[in-house]
């Protein structure tokens, strides 16, 4: 692997990301499975970095999952998106940041379609007016939330309490990054670093002290596949794709996986559990899995937040071995406690996958 | 634990792992087999194509990819009529090739 | 109704996604579905490109168009700037519109999908929502999810979510007026009509298969024959 | 015979045209940007279909055109159109007034690093056709492992027939070059598996098909119809190639010790620069535009400006030489017309 | 005649007697084994045929004409015929007359009967009564001269075979050579021995006169014993090598003729009839010249004579190579003087091959196929023009699919003649099974025969018309289609012309007709196509035609001949057709047509094209 070769490509894909004043929209999947992540994103941006991020309670799903499950027509999803843009316009923002990769891809695709076929935009404006009496401007800048953490990575590094270094060996942690397919595969120029060697997560890992691992199936989809997961009968597809990725990364013994898509960490986390239960195979050493982190979680961890405050307990794969490696202090007894030490009992332990 | 689904087998051909020993044996008898340029003339003229999907082009390809079962399945209705030999632009003696395949490859494995 | 190909061509995704295909196979090579299903996106493109009405109709009624995971990996690599994934979406859209989806096993799954996803959107404003994401239907979500949903108000509160709360925040309650707007958007953009179409054809199919709608839902949601996978006969 | 003839580019087209003009009694001026004559051919090892050493072609051309005025390491600073002639200013300060310009600026090899998914410049074991020729010539390339060569792949159409690479044209010679290089590698590493990943094999030239048959029959080169979609590196540093075996409709994957990218021909930036300076039009394929693409490919739409070789599109060596000869005759007749 | 020795014995007879006993024992055992190897049914049939007067007389006649007179060779070349019959018939007569002589003049024969007829002249002396036998003396010398003339010719033939109409002869094996030289030696030595004793035992114009010459310088009678020893040894050696040389054909042919006359076919590749044929091969090498593959010198050793030799040696690799290469044109069978069926023998060798995968056609629905061509069943009666009009089912065949002009013109001719017809293989149909049969895959071929039979029987037709001789042959030989006439289009066209349903316009175009192997040698159809062509233009003949027609080289029979190798054969076949400088080449086989078209410098047509071009509708 020739690192300079990658640097050259990264230099070609630098996208303009304004520093401040963003209209923030949430992700359905992230809110369900990693609720702490979104909270931490705003926490870090607003309170740590003192940036202006606006969120309105009136925004909804973008409809992307329903659209990619082919349950709603293109016009419907476009109008829902137009409504989101209208909310941004009404709030006086022109920079639009999405927490979800599906949404991000959805917005990018729709804006691109409108650009190429202006008659579609006109029609959607009419439909939105008819349905909601709203009008919108197309955002001047569209970003994914990971773009912003990437943008702020050095500021975060400057305030970091921990570095991604194995405290036992002194070596940088080996980190595998996984980019959501809809981040740059459709429009390589819309992603930091392009589609083939995206830099958005690599940049974070590098500036926080870790070492990025490239493995053969790095670019492969996690296997979500929308309808291939939401319908129970199809989940073998989803499982098989994740399995393929893990088989490919296994020889590299990564310390953890970093993702920027809300779905991928859920799938890569839970499919490890299913592979362990059905195939008896674990990838993380000592019967553990490989922890799969969102970039918000990682940023929060290096900034020194309590792992249980940011929702690390909602992962099926235990994160404790990773926390130990980095040297992050945590209280095992607090892991499954509610607010004010409320006893919530604890999840059952899986049969094969080792958990804490 | 039963989740209601399981891993699916992969159909990808992994050329690193294909066992070509039988193909090499065949190639020893039929050196022309690798002259095939997959033009499909054989398939288009084949009367067995209607019945067992016979396509000599695919048979040759499948054998090289280690997909022996598929290849033999197609051969099932070959009537050895010789039209493929007549139309092959590379002059491959397809009839003898088919007979050699039938000698070397069998349902029984070896 | 016009010819199928003309109908497809009206879809902007086909306009963007199918210029001319040279059958190079780049899409299939990296397609996650091509490896695990009997599926070859290149062939789908070729059939659409052929403008053969009969073939296109067969395609719309087949399982093939439902194998794609819409990851759009194919879009990145196509040397002719095509988007097989986009064409698939257009095909699925047409298949749903014409009711052809009930002809194939994978197509029939559109019914549970529609019920779950549009239900979530219209009822909660989210595509995925804990109240409808049951551990029983998602055993792979693990004991953690089971625990999480059992104590959801507490676990959500612990990580600072605003679960079912007023105002902004994680999994807040989306105000009724926003949900009403969504409903109106569905009404004027054909979303509602699509739900009804899927309902109608599925109902007819369920009747043909001798099931009530709940059985039909379970059947299509949970069961699949082996014929979709590669290595069995 | 005092008419100045300026030949821009000292590749084989320029040299052949100069040699012909010399034999017609003219004294042409060759302007060459680099420090050697012969252009791309000088960097090649052997030429299909008879495996003629490229060096022989170039040295014989150089010998035959040695009497021309040759400026090496010289670029053109600007071109001024005068009333019925051109004023050419060279980077070495010399200025030439001429009525005749023969553009033989040739092509550039497509920068394979632009096909990011193939990882040229990122993965250690990925090289281009030009790198391989360099290795044939010098034996120096640490990427070619003399002892551990088990599997080698060739990817056709890299940067050709590719709208994403902004070159939808076929580069014409890569198919046969890949076949040639595959045979050469098989000769050096008889036990290695050699795969060619192609979209279409365009064996249009004299004896090309024989070459292809020989590669199949005599060397056992495996041809797989499918464009390579993705290349990645495994933990041993070998490259994994993914394509579709379109003839069986299945994804195919193979691990290789060396991957050779058949980088195509694109119009050289020098051609474009000259075209800008002399106000020559550029055709929709990015190459220089001829008066007529069928009947008169060597005339430019501009009075006194002629083309030869790959500046008007991808060409083989014999085609280029033939065009150079035709251009020399055209120049000769043009000068006769002026008198 | 008086016996010279009381014992009537001398040691020199031993070599002969041992050889004789050995060869007789060998032949009896061999013959018994062959007969036992026949399938029970065939064996029964064979024995019955032996006692049936008709076949009995035929056997006798055939043995006499073929084994002794070699009538086939006479037909081919007089000199060759004379050479063979002089030796065979002459020798036979020597033996016959010798026996008569012995029985006439000796009593108390006993064990002497074994060798007396051969060495009679040594053991007897001339007496008063001798001159009564002067006729016998004369006959013996006469036949000895006949044989000697044959031997002389044989020696010449070894050097100049062309005089005998043979371009190439077989390369003899070592034992063949031993046999050959001992055979050549037998009769001169007999002459020598008898001449030495002629003054004692008497003789005629040959022996007696030679005796006079000898006595001039060799008066001592002691000299005669070595000559008799040498004679006996030559015979002994000949008999000992006989079973292992080509001369085994002499006794075997006597068995082969009745086997053939009993109508027995080759069942087992190496046993029974096949074995009889193999051992009957005299290695004369006529099949070498006949073989179309021999244009390429490298193929000489792949001719039938060498196949027979390799089968006798059990050289499996070569047997496979030879039997797979053959075009199965059947010409060697046609020219073979003893009736070795080179083509069938090879098919039999192919059929014993082991395959680990075998196609089967049980998934093909004959019913469904029949639906596509059952017009005669489904059409209401009034649509069929007249009740007595035949209902023709036209099976174009696989090969015709590659030469659609044949099908098109055949249809056009049928329409002109107002024939009610239906095409059986519009959609490709099934193969007739002949190519599988030729490849030795009999079980598979049988399956196809069954499927096709079912389809044809369900079609409601009463005539099956074929335009491909390959199909035609298997339909004639292996199909049972009760109530349905199987006919080739050449025959059908002749019928249409003769019946006036087609009117031909004759012009001056010169046509040469190529007899396709399967139609001519295979099915015996020679005259019908010629009659049809003669009514369309001027018919000229090829240098070799009819039974001796040369295969086009495209045959499906060969499994291994490559495309490039066949070219020379095709060119040779074309040059054979050029003898009469024809304007057009006409054939009646799609495979011949496409093969010839590849290399011919003048138009090649199927007979259907000729008929279509030159005919118009006649009276109905």
């Amino acid at each position: 692997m020739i690192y300079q070769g990658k640097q050259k490509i990264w230099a070609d894909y630098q996208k303009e990301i304004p520093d401040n004043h963003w209209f923030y929209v949430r992700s359905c999947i992230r809110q369900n499975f990693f609720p702490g992540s979104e909270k931490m994103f705003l926490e870090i941006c607003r309170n740590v970095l003192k940036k202006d991020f606006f969120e309105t309670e009136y925004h909804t799903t973008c409809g992307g999952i329903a659209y990619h499950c082919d349950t709603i027509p293109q016009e419907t999803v476009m109008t829902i998106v137009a409504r989101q843009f209208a909310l941004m316009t009404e709030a006086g923002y022109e920079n639009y940041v999405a927490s979800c990769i599906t949404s991000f891809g959805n917005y990018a695709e729709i804006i691109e379609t409108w650009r190429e076929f202006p008659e579609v935009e006109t029609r959607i404006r009419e439909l939105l007016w008819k349905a909601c009496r709203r009008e919108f401007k197309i955002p001047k800048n569209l970003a994914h939330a990971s773009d912003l953490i990437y943008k702020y990575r050095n500021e975060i590094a400057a305030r970091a309490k921990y570095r991604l270094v194995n405290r036992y060996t002194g070596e940088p942690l080996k980190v595998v990054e996984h980019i959501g397919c809809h981040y740059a595969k459709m429009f390589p120029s819309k992603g930091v670093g392009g589609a083939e060697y995206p830099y958005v997560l690599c940049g974070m890992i590098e500036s926080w002290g870790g070492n990025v691992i490239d493995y053969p199936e790095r670019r492969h989809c996690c296997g979500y596949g929308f309808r291939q997961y939401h319908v129970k009968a199809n989940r073998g597809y989803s499982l098989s794709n994740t399995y393929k990725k893990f088989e490919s990364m296994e020889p590299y013994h990564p310390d953890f996986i970093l993702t920027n898509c809300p779905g991928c960490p859920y799938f890569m986390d839970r499919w490890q559990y299913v592979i362990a239960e059905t195939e008896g195979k674990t990838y993380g050493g000592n019967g553990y899995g490989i922890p799969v982190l969102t970039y918000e979680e990682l940023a929060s961890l290096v900034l020194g937040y309590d792992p249980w405050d940011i929702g690390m307990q909602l992962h099926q794969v235990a994160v404790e071995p990773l926390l130990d490696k980095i040297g992050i202090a945590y209280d095992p007894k607090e892991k499954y406690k509610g607010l004010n030490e409320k006893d919530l009992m604890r999840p059952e332990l899986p049969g094969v996958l080792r958990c804490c | 634990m039963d989740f209601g689904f399981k891993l699916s087998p992969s159909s990808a051909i992994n050329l690193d792992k294909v066992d070509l020993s039988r193909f090499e044996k065949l190639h020893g008898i039929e050196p022309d087999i690798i002259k095939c340029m997959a033009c499909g003339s054989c398939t288009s003229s084949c009367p067995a194509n209607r019945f067992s999907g016979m396509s000599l082009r695919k048979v040759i390809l499948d054998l090289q990819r280690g997909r022996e079962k598929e290849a033999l399945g197609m051969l099932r209705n070959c009537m050895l009529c010789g039209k493929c030999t007549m139309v092959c632009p590379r002059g491959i003696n397809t009839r003898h090739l088919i007979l050699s395949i039938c000698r070397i490859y069998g349902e029984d494995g070896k | 109704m016009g010819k199928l190909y003309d109908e497809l061509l009206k879809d902007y995704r086909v306009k963007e996604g199918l210029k001319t295909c040279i059958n190079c196979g780049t899409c299939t090579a990296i397609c996650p579905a091509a490896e695990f299903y009997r599926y070859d996106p290149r062939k789908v493109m070729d059939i659409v490109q052929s403008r053969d009405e009969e073939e296109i109709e067969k395609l719309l009624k087949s399982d093939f168009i439902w194998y794609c995971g819409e990851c759009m990996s194919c879009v990145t690599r196509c040397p002719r700037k095509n988007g097989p994934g986009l064409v698939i979406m257009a095909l699925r859209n047409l298949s749903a519109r014409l009711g052809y989806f009930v002809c194939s096993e994978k197509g029939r799954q559109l019914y549970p999908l529609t019920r779950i996803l549009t239900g979530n959107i219209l009822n909660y404003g989210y595509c995925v929502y804990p109240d409808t994401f049951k551990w029983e239907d998602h055993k792979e979500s693990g004991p953690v999810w089971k625990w999480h949903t059992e104590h959801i108000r507490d676990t959500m509160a612990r990580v600072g979510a605003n679960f079912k709360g007023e105002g902004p925040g994680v999994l807040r309650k989306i105000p009724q007026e926003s949900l009403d707007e969504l409903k109106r958007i569905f009404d004027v953009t054909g979303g509602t009509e699509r739900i009804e179409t899927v309902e109608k054809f599925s109902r007819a199919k369920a009747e043909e298969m001798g099931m009530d709608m709940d059985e039909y839902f379970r059947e299509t949601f949970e069961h699949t024959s082996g014929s979709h996978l590669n290595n069995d006969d | 015979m005092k008419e100045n003839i300026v030949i821009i580019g000292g590749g084989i087209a320029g040299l052949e045209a100069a040699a012909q003009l010399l034999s017609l009694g003219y004294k042409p001026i060759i302007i060459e940007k680099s420090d050697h004559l012969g252009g791309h051919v000088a960097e090649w090892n052997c030429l299909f279909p008879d495996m003629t050493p490229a060096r022989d072609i170039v040295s014989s051309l150089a010998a035959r055109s040695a009497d021309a005025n040759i400026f090496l390491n010289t670029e053109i600073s600007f071109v001024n159109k005068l009333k019925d002639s051109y004023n050419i200013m060279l980077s070495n300060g010399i200025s030439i007034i001429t009525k005749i310009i023969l553009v033989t600026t040739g092509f550039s090899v497509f920068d394979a690093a632009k096909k990011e998914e193939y990882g040229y410049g990122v993965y250690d074991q990925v090289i281009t056709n030009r790198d391989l020729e360099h290795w044939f010539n010098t034996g120096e390339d640490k990427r070619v492992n003399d002892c551990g060569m088990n599997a080698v792949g060739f990817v056709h159409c890299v940067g050709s027939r590719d709208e994403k690479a902004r070159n939808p044209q076929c580069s014409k010679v890569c198919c046969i070059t890949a076949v040639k290089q595959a045979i050469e590698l098989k000769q050096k590493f008889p036990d290695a598996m050699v795969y060619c990943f192609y979209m279409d094999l365009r064996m249009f030239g004299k004896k090309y098909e024989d070459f292809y048959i020989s590669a199949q029959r005599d060397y056992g080169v495996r041809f797989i119809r499918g464009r390579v979609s993705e290349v990645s590196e495994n933990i041993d540093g070998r490259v994994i190639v993914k394509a579709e075996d379109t003839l069986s409709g299945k994804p195919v994957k193979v691990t290789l010790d060396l991957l050779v990218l058949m980088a195509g021909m694109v119009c050289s930036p020098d051609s474009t620069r000259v075209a800008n300076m002399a106000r020559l039009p550029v055709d929709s394929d990015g190459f220089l535009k001829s008066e007529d693409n069928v009947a008169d490919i060597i005339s430019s739409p501009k009075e006194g400006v002629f083309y030869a070789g790959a500046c008007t599109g991808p060409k083989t060596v014999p085609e280029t030489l033939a065009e150079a000869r035709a251009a020399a005759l055209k120049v000769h007749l043009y000068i006769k017309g002026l008198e | 005649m008086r016996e010279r020795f009381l014992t009537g014995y001398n040691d020199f007879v031993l070599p002969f007697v041992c050889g004789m006993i050995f060869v007789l024992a060998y032949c009896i055992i061999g013959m018994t084994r062959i007969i036992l190897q026949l399938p029970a049914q065939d064996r029964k049939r064979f024995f019955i045929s032996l006692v049936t007067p008709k076949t009995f007389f035929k056997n006798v006649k055939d043995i006499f004409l073929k084994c002794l007179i070699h009538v086939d060779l006479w037909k081919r070349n007089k000199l060759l015929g004379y050479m063979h019959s002089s030796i065979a018939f002459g020798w036979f007569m020597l033996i016959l007359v010798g026996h008569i002589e012995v029985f006439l003049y000796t009593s108390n024969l006993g064990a002497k009967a074994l060798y007396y007829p051969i060495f009679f002249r040594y053991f007897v002396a001339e007496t008063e009564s001798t001159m009564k036998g002067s006729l016998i003396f004369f006959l013996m010398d006469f036949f000895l001269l006949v044989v000697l003339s044959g031997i002389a010719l044989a020696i010449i033939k070894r050097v100049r075979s062309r005089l005998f109409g043979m371009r190439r002869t077989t390369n003899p094996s070592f034992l063949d050579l031993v046999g050959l030289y001992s055979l050549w030696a037998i009769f001169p030595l007999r002459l020598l021995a008898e001449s030495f004793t002629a003054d004692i035992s008497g003789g005629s114009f040959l022996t007696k006169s030679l005796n006079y010459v000898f006595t001039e310088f060799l008066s001592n009678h002691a000299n005669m014993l070595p000559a008799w020893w040498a004679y006996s040894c030559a015979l002994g050696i000949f008999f000992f090598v006989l079973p292992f040389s080509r001369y085994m054909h002499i006794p075997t042919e006597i068995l082969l003729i009745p086997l053939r006359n009993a109508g027995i076919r080759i069942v087992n590749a190496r046993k029974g009839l096949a074995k009889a044929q193999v051992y009957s091969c005299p290695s004369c090498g006529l099949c070498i010249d006949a073989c179309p593959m021999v244009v390429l010198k490298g193929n000489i050793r792949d001719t039938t004579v060498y196949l027979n030799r390799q089968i006798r040696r059990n050289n499996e690799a070569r047997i496979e190579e030879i039997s797979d290469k053959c075009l199965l044109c059947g010409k060697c069978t046609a020219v073979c003087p003893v009736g070795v069926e080179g083509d069938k023998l090879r098919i039999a060798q192919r059929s014993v091959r082991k395959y680990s995968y075998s196609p089967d056609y049980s998934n093909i629905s004959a019913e469904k196929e029949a639906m596509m061509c059952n017009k005669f069943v489904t059409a209401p009666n009034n649509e069929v023009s007249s009740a007595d009009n035949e209902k023709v089912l036209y099976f174009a065949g696989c090969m015709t699919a590659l030469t659609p002009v044949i099908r098109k013109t055949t249809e056009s001719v049928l329409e002109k003649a107002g024939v009610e017809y239906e095409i059986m293989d519009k959609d490709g149909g099934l193969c007739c099974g002949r190519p599988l049969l030729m490849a030795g895959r009999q079980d598979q071929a049988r399956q196809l025969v069954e499927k096709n039979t079912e389809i044809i029987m369900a079609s409601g037709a009463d005539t099956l018309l074929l335009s491909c001789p390959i199909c035609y042959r298997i339909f004639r030989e292996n199909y049972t289609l009760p109530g349905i006439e199987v006919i080739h289009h050449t025959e059908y066209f002749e019928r249409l012309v003769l019946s006036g349903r087609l009117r031909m316009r004759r012009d001056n175009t010169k046509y040469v007709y190529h007899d396709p192997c399967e139609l001519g040698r295979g099915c015996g159809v020679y005259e019908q196509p010629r009659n049809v062509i003669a009514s369309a233009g001027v018919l000229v003949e090829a240098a070799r035609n009819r039974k001796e027609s040369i295969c086009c080289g495209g045959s499906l029979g060969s499994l291994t001949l490559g495309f490039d190798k066949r070219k020379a054969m095709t060119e040779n076949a074309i040059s054979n057709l050029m003898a009469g400088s024809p304007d057009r080449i006409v054939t009646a086989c799609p495979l011949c047509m496409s093969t010839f078209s590849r290399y011919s410098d003048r138009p090649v047509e199927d007979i259907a094209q000729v008929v279509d071009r030159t005919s118009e509708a006649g009276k109905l």
Side-chain angles (χ1 to χ4, degrees), chain A residues 27-302:
Chain A
S27 149
C28 304
I29 292 191
R30 212 188 287 280
Q31 290 177 88
N32 274 275
F33 300 105
F34 307 100
S37 292
E38 287 201 349
K39 191 204 85 180
M40 290 314 298
F41 177 77
L42 289 179
E43 160 79 20
I44 292 170
C45 293
R46 283 174 175 163
N47 302 338
V48 178
L49 303 170
K50 312 289 182 209
K51 309 286 181 189
D52 169 28
F53 279 74
F54 178 80
E55 183 205 357
T56 165
E57 63 195 289
Y58 297 104
H59 85 274
T60 62
T61 175
C62 71
I65 294 176
Y67 171 57
H68 282 292
C69 285
D70 315 289
T71 57
I72 57 175
Q74 202 181 15
E75 288 194 339
T76 308
V77 74
M78 281 182 171
T79 313
I80 297 174
V81 165
R83 180 179 171 274
Q84 308 271 74
F85 289 163
L87 294 173
M88 175 198 77
T89 312
E90 287 158 19
Y93 285 82
E94 43 191 24
N95 300 332
Y96 191 94
V97 58
S99 168
C100 172
I101 290 286
T102 304
S103 298
F104 176 72
N106 202 13
Y107 297 133
E109 182 195 337
I110 288 169
I111 292 171
E112 195 61 29
T113 307
W114 288 348
R115 201 180 54 75
E116 207 169 321
F117 306 102
E119 72 273 19
V120 185
E121 186 187 333
T122 314
R123 162 118 181 100
I124 298 301
R125 284 186 186 279
E126 285 164 15
L127 288 171
L128 181 68
W129 180 255
K130 211 168 143 193
C132 310
R133 302 283 173 226
R134 290 181 196 272
E135 286 184 78
F136 68 91
K137 283 190 199 144
I138 294 174
K140 215 177 204 171
N141 290 292
L142 176 69
H144 181 249
S146 62
D147 292 343
L148 288 161
I149 298 289
Y150 164 78
K151 172 117 183 143
Y152 305 143
R153 69 192 187 284
N154 293 327
E155 288 175 61
I156 292 171
R159 291 159 210 254
K161 196 170 160 196
Y162 303 104
R163 286 185 64 74
L164 302 177
V165 171
N166 188 325
R167 68 167 169 153
Y168 305 114
T169 63
E171 297 282 316
L173 291 180
K174 288 177 282 186
V175 190
V176 152
E177 41 102 25
H178 176 83
I179 303 287
C181 290
H182 291 194
Y183 176 66
K185 282 186 179 171
M186 285 189 280
F187 305 102
S189 62
K190 297 270 189 292
V192 175
E196 301 296 341
Y197 310 96
Y199 190 56
V200 60
L201 297 178
C202 293
M204 296 180 204
I205 297 162
E206 285 177 356
S207 62
W208 299 339
N211 207 355
V212 182
I213 297 292
D214 199 345
Y215 65 106
E217 296 296 353
R218 170 176 55 80
R219 288 167 274 202
H220 198 76
C221 172
C222 68
Y224 175 23
F226 301 99
R227 72 188 329 272
Q228 314 300 351
Y229 176 74
H230 286 291
V231 175
K232 186 174 176 183
N234 298 345
R235 283 175 204 158
Y237 162 101
S238 189
L239 173 66
S240 304
N241 279 296
T242 295
Y243 178 70
K244 179 173 161 179
K245 284 182 76 75
F246 276 94
E247 286 293 304
S248 172
M249 73 172 80
E250 188 186 15
Y252 297 83
H253 303 294
D255 293 305
F256 70 96
I257 299 166
L258 183 64
T259 62
N260 73 340
C261 177
C264 309
Y266 168 74
F267 294 109
M268 293 173 81
D269 182 72
R270 299 306 205 273
W271 292 137
Q272 282 193 78
Y273 156 68
V274 175
I275 291 167
E277 300 308 305
T278 56
E279 309 289 313
K281 184 156 189 186
T282 54
Y283 294 92
N286 299 326
Y288 288 105
I290 304 174
V292 191
L293 273 54
T294 67
Y295 55 93
E296 298 105 323
E297 288 170 340
L298 185 66
S300 311
L301 286 175
V302 300

Side-chain angles (χ1 to χ4, degrees), chain E residues 11 20 24 80 105 119 151 188 223 233 264 276 306 493 591 607-608 619:
Chain E
D11 282 343
M20 191 69 199
L24 281 176
L80 193 68
Y105 297 110
F119 306 113
I151 299 288
N223 290 324
C233 284
I264 288 165
Y306 290 101
F493 290 158
L591 195 48
I607 195 165
K619 60 179 194 308

Side-chain angles (χ1 to χ4, degrees), chain C residues 125-179:
Chain C
Y126 297 95
C127 276
V128 183
Y129 199 65
D131 293 16
T132 57
F133 197 93
K134 298 279 181 232
W135 178 82
E136 287 73 21
D137 284 334
H138 294 270
K139 286 195 180 148
E140 72 284 351
S141 61
V144 156
W145 179 258
K146 197 169 170 225
W147 170 80
H148 177 48
T149 45
E150 279 164 2
H151 306 90
I152 189 142
R153 288 202 176 263
D154 291 309
T155 46
M156 282 295 187
R158 173 79 171 88
V159 298
N162 183 21
F163 185 53
K164 298 200 178 178
E166 304 291 329
V170 174
L171 278 182
R172 73 212 175 279
K173 179 176 169 17
I174 291 176
Q176 190 54 46
E177 53 261 50
S178 295
L179 295 179

Side-chain angles (χ1 to χ4, degrees), chain E residues 556-575:
Chain E
L556 282 176
S558 174
L559 298 178
T560 54
L561 270 182
F563 181 72
D564 45 334
K565 298 272 165 49
R566 295 174 186 249
K567 186 181 174 203
M569 298 164 204
T570 308
E571 283 170 345
N572 178 45
I574 290 176
S575 72

